[in-house]
Amino acid sequence: MDAPEKVCLLRLSAIGDTCHVVPLLRTLQDAWPRTRFTWVIGKLEAKLMSLIPDVELITVDKGAGLSAYRRLRDEMNRRGAFDLLLHLQLSIRASAAAACIPAPIKLGFDKARARELQWLFTNRRIAPRTREHVQDSFTGFAEALGLARQRPRWDIPLPPPALEYAAQLIPDSTPTLLISACSSHAARNWLPDRYAAVAEHAVRKHGMRVILCGGPAAIERDMAAAIKKHASVPLVDQVGKDTLPQLLALLARASILLTPDSGPAHMATMVETPVIGLYAATNPERSGPYESRRWCVNAYDAAARKFLGKPAAELPWTRKIEMPGVMELIEVPAVCTKLDELLALLK
């Protein structure tokens, strides 16, 4: 299609999925340099994506209920119609937002993938595909618009205060392991004594600096306390002490991130920091760190066989195995081996 004047992207959450949207936005910006882009996004996620230049963010407070959608509708009525809406989220909540955004073309997922009735809120659809990574599914939107697939790029400019924060914590060339130990889903979290064992391996075998990072939620603070209790080596605890831009800068300065299926896994990908992902409850081929899937410890098939009685290849692509004990399938030696191999490659 010809370059439109105004385009709206709709993806409210979560942080990881908004990270996956950025390469799509960059593709559109490269192809249509004169187009004005607006992104309807969640309030938390906007704190990170506000770093991106040349895109206007309109935030939706997902905790505000119906009043948030009334405010969005009023704002959209004031602005007038867009030429194109990209509806990038499969949820009733996001479709309620889509209904508030006027545009003659509303592009969404193909009907087979359009869960929660998303197809009712769109009038154009991307080509059907199966069993692909979340980020590749967003690439389908660019291809539906006639734009060629390109290597993903993020190019997130980091503000000087965030860079200064990171430099204070990682002031030299000592290899640094960041541990972001928690997902937003507790069943995806690994065990604190096992994180501590990997930290000890990193310090004793490789002389690494180890920093615990994460958000201010009680589950993250409790996890950090438990890891420190089990560890016999010094750890720097920064959990709950940074902003999202500061965390992104810290990830950019670190050598490696260790994390379960979480937002920071995808933030690290944006700044080209390799990720050792811990995956048993979810499938890393679908939702793992895009550029680091080879470094993931993948126990998803073992989890499928143990908890569901069938191999992962026979499960629906979006199936999660968030069951008690599932993350115990990931053993410390497997993680330490990935760390050893990755460090050898980085030297």
Side-chain angles (χ1 to χ4, degrees):
M1 65 180 295
D2 295 333
E5 181 181 345
K6 297 191 300 179
V7 172
C8 181
L9 292 82
L10 170 61
R11 178 77 209 196
L12 301 177
S13 62
I15 286 177
D17 287 316
T18 57
C19 293
H20 294 321
V21 169
V22 177
L24 169 61
L25 174 62
R26 292 306 197 201
T27 297
L28 298 174
Q29 289 175 324
D30 290 344
W32 300 333
R34 296 185 179 179
T35 297
R36 287 181 288 161
F37 292 96
T38 298
W39 187 345
V40 177
I41 190 170
K43 192 174 181 180
L44 172 63
E45 293 76 11
K47 294 179 180 179
L48 179 62
M49 295 307 162
S50 62
L51 299 176
I52 303 174
D54 301 322
V55 59
E56 180 186 25
L57 302 183
I58 297 178
T59 61
V60 175
D61 183 355
K62 292 167 286 186
L66 291 176
S67 63
Y69 297 95
R70 285 194 291 267
R71 285 194 293 271
L72 177 63
R73 180 197 59 202
D74 293 343
E75 175 68 14
M76 290 300 169
N77 288 338
R78 182 182 67 81
R79 290 168 174 267
F82 292 90
D83 300 298
L84 170 66
L85 168 66
L86 303 183
H87 187 350
L88 303 168
Q89 187 164 349
L90 299 170
S91 73
I92 291 294
R93 178 174 61 191
S95 289
C100 300
I101 302 171
I105 300 174
K106 295 188 177 185
L107 180 63
F109 285 94
D110 56 284
K111 194 170 182 180
R113 285 185 286 180
R115 300 190 309 276
E116 299 198 34
L117 302 178
Q118 192 223 37
W119 59 273
L120 289 174
F121 297 85
T122 61
N123 53 25
R124 305 282 178 86
R125 297 179 182 92
I126 66 173
R129 285 191 186 140
T130 60
R131 307 182 83 82
E132 66 179 356
H133 194 279
V134 173
Q135 186 165 300
D136 291 324
S137 72
F138 291 147
T139 301
F141 283 80
E143 293 176 344
L145 298 170
L147 306 179
R149 180 183 289 255
Q150 62 185 38
R151 180 171 177 79
R153 71 174 184 92
W154 289 268
D155 296 334
I156 305 294
L158 297 170
L163 293 171
E164 292 168 8
Y165 167 85
Q168 290 174 357
L169 290 166
I170 307 177
D172 53 35
S173 60
T174 300
T176 300
L177 174 67
L178 294 190
I179 298 178
S180 181
C182 289
S183 165
S184 58
H185 300 259
R188 301 179 189 177
N189 294 343
W190 207 30
L191 288 74
D193 61 310
R194 298 190 187 186
Y195 279 120
V198 175
E200 290 174 356
H201 177 81
V203 172
R204 290 180 176 150
K205 182 173 181 177
H206 299 290
M208 299 188 80
R209 174 191 292 115
V210 179
I211 300 175
L212 306 179
C213 60
I219 189 173
E220 301 208 43
R221 296 295 312 127
D222 291 345
M223 175 68 86
I227 293 171
K228 289 188 293 181
K229 180 180 178 180
H230 286 286
S232 59
V233 294
L235 307 177
V236 179
D237 183 2
Q238 289 298 116
V239 173
K241 297 180 182 179
D242 53 26
T243 64
L244 285 172
Q246 287 172 334
L247 175 57
L248 190 64
L250 187 63
L251 288 164
R253 199 168 176 87
S255 306
I256 298 170
L257 172 68
L258 173 64
T259 189
D261 187 354
S262 68
H266 308 295
M267 291 173 64
T269 299
M270 289 203 300
V271 291
E272 300 183 340
T273 295
V275 180
I276 298 175
L278 305 176
Y279 284 77
T282 55
N283 185 356
E285 293 305 314
R286 178 184 178 271
S287 59
Y290 192 75
E291 303 287 2
S292 296
R293 281 170 284 176
R294 64 178 289 197
W295 302 114
C296 290
V297 181
N298 184 358
Y300 182 70
D301 184 68
R305 293 174 187 274
K306 178 176 180 178
F307 291 92
L308 302 176
K310 59 180 68 176
E314 296 180 9
L315 299 182
W317 188 238
T318 59
R319 182 69 157 89
K320 299 177 178 63
I321 313 174
E322 295 176 332
M323 299 180 180
V326 67
M327 293 298 287
E328 294 177 20
L329 294 172
I330 298 175
E331 300 285 352
V332 170
V335 181
C336 291
T337 296
K338 290 287 188 182
L339 180 64
D340 296 344
E341 292 173 350
L342 183 49
L343 284 171
L345 186 68
L346 293 176
K347 287 182 179 178

